[in-house]
Amino acid sequence: MKNKKIIWLKWLSSLLIGIFLISGYLFLNTEKGLEAALLIGKQFLPGQLKINTLHGRLLGPIYLKKLNYKNNKINFYISEAEFDLNWRSFLAGKLTFNSIFIDQLNLFIKQKTNTIHTIQKKSKTDQRKNIHIPEIFHYLKISSAVIHQINIKTENLNLKLYGSIHQQWHIHWLLTVNELARFFPHLKNNITLQGTIRGIFQYPKFNIGLEKTNLQWNDWQLKQIQSTLTINTKDKKWFFDFTASDFNNKRLKIFPVKLKLTGSFLPFSLQGTLSQFKLNKRCKDQQLTSIIVP
């Protein structure tokens, strides 16, 4: 009698394990499993998610069309996308995408009104965090990616990005920052940055350029500012080039200003040149005193 119970328990446990394995396989490797995961995920999302077309399986590849997600903080839209995640490397602690395709992605983020004290507190906290770019790309790998257009907007920022990755970076981006005083106290006006990411995937080369603009900081007027920053992660070197037509306030005027700096990250080094400029000082009798600084 006991032997029959043991045999029956073994048969029942084997049946339950078999059902569990078959269910897991169907859940991960069929389109119905992907749809079921989407229905479950919708119950936990704090917002509304709509997808017009969805094909694939959880283990990838996944194809979707006209995805729209909204909540009280963000509005996220993808016209068409396809991606294939390598789950074996994901379980090993690395994020590997076999392929990514994005036709158009729009993201709008509503910002909370931050006081200057809050911004300064955040900046001090961020300074304690050390982020090493080469280490990030050690855990992230993208075999192939094509991005037609990505737009990310907040109330003060607007980022546009497009390009491709095929073992090398070919990314272009444009960033517009409005109301600089929200991020840097007493600094007024808007700026537009544009740049590229190029080079092999593990060691990208960043190029950032500031378009000509005028800024005001307290009593200082900064006119026709233009600069470029190049970061080479492979050689751990950087280059900075800065020009401005003049800096001036009620008493001083410095013009033109040209500064070039180069250096390395580890070990840290810095060297550069400041070109000849003129310094005008307004005296009490309203006369100008001009000094040439070689």
Side-chain angles (χ1 to χ4, degrees), residues 10 27 241:
K10 287 183 177 179
F27 183 74
D241 190 354

Side-chain angles (χ1 to χ4, degrees), residues 187-219:
L187 187 61
K188 297 180 180 179
N189 216 334
N190 309 329
I191 62 170
T192 300
L193 299 167
Q194 59 180 344
T196 59
I197 307 175
R198 297 188 180 277
I200 60 176
F201 186 82
Q202 291 82 0
Y203 299 101
K205 185 177 180 180
F206 298 89
N207 184 269
I208 305 168
L210 170 65
E211 294 186 354
K212 282 188 177 181
T213 186
N214 298 328
L215 297 176
Q216 182 178 350
W217 181 69
N218 290 330
D219 294 334

Side-chain angles (χ1 to χ4, degrees), residues 51-203:
I51 302 178
N52 188 286
T53 304
L54 179 67
H55 297 299
R57 56 195 183 118
L58 279 174
L59 292 180
I62 297 174
Y63 171 81
L64 56 89
K65 194 171 183 179
K66 293 185 179 180
L67 180 149
N68 187 226
Y69 174 72
K70 292 181 180 179
N71 62 23
N72 58 350
K73 292 183 179 179
I74 67 171
N75 189 341
F76 182 70
Y77 171 79
I78 297 180
S79 64
E80 185 179 1
E82 184 175 1
F83 57 92
D84 188 6
L85 177 65
N86 190 319
W87 285 94
R88 289 183 180 178
S89 63
F90 179 74
L91 295 174
K94 293 184 178 181
L95 194 60
T96 301
F97 288 94
N98 296 329
S99 62
I100 298 175
F101 166 74
I102 298 174
D103 179 44
Q104 183 179 356
L105 185 153
N106 297 327
L107 173 63
F108 178 76
I109 305 171
K110 292 181 180 179
Q111 290 178 296
K112 293 181 179 179
T113 305
N114 293 326
T115 62
I116 293 174
H117 174 73
T118 308
I119 295 169
Q120 291 174 341
K121 188 175 180 180
K122 284 184 178 181
S123 63
K124 290 179 181 178
T125 309
D126 294 340
Q127 287 175 359
R128 299 192 192 104
K129 299 177 182 178
N130 296 321
I131 300 175
H132 301 286
I133 293 174
E135 291 184 8
I136 294 174
F137 293 106
H138 176 73
Y139 296 100
L140 173 66
K141 183 179 179 181
I142 301 175
S143 300
S144 173
V146 176
I147 301 170
H148 288 175
Q149 185 179 3
I150 291 180
N151 298 316
I152 300 176
K153 290 184 179 181
T154 69
E155 294 173 0
N156 300 102
L157 301 174
N158 186 4
L159 174 65
K160 296 181 180 180
L161 183 148
Y162 65 93
S164 63
I165 303 171
H166 295 283
Q167 297 181 346
Q168 293 215 2
W169 293 88
H170 299 281
I171 300 294
H172 298 262
W173 58 269
L174 180 71
L175 175 65
T176 303
V177 184
N178 302 315
E179 299 182 22
L180 284 170
R182 290 178 64 95
F183 307 98
F184 305 98
H186 312 298
L187 187 61
K188 297 180 180 179
N189 216 334
N190 309 329
I191 62 170
T192 300
L193 299 167
Q194 59 180 344
T196 59
I197 307 175
R198 297 188 180 277
I200 60 176
F201 186 82
Q202 291 82 0
Y203 299 101

Side-chain angles (χ1 to χ4, degrees), residues 274-278 291-294:
L274 177 64
S275 64
Q276 175 179 291
F277 62 91
K278 291 183 180 181
I291 303 172
I292 297 177
V293 182

Side-chain angles (χ1 to χ4, degrees), residues 208-268:
I208 305 168
L210 170 65
E211 294 186 354
K212 282 188 177 181
T213 186
N214 298 328
L215 297 176
Q216 182 178 350
W217 181 69
N218 290 330
D219 294 334
W220 284 91
Q221 299 282 343
L222 295 78
K223 296 184 178 179
Q224 293 295 301
I225 300 172
Q226 190 173 14
S227 65
T228 58
L229 173 65
T230 301
I231 302 173
N232 190 330
T233 59
K234 183 177 182 180
D235 299 329
K236 297 181 179 178
K237 292 184 178 181
W238 58 274
F239 172 77
F240 179 70
D241 190 354
F242 176 88
T243 61
S245 61
D246 71 73
F247 294 168
N248 68 81
N249 61 13
K250 294 179 180 179
R251 295 188 61 189
L252 294 175
K253 181 177 181 181
I254 305 172
F255 65 99
V257 179
K258 293 183 180 181
L259 176 66
K260 292 185 178 182
L261 298 173
T262 59
S264 61
F265 299 125
L266 294 172
F268 178 77

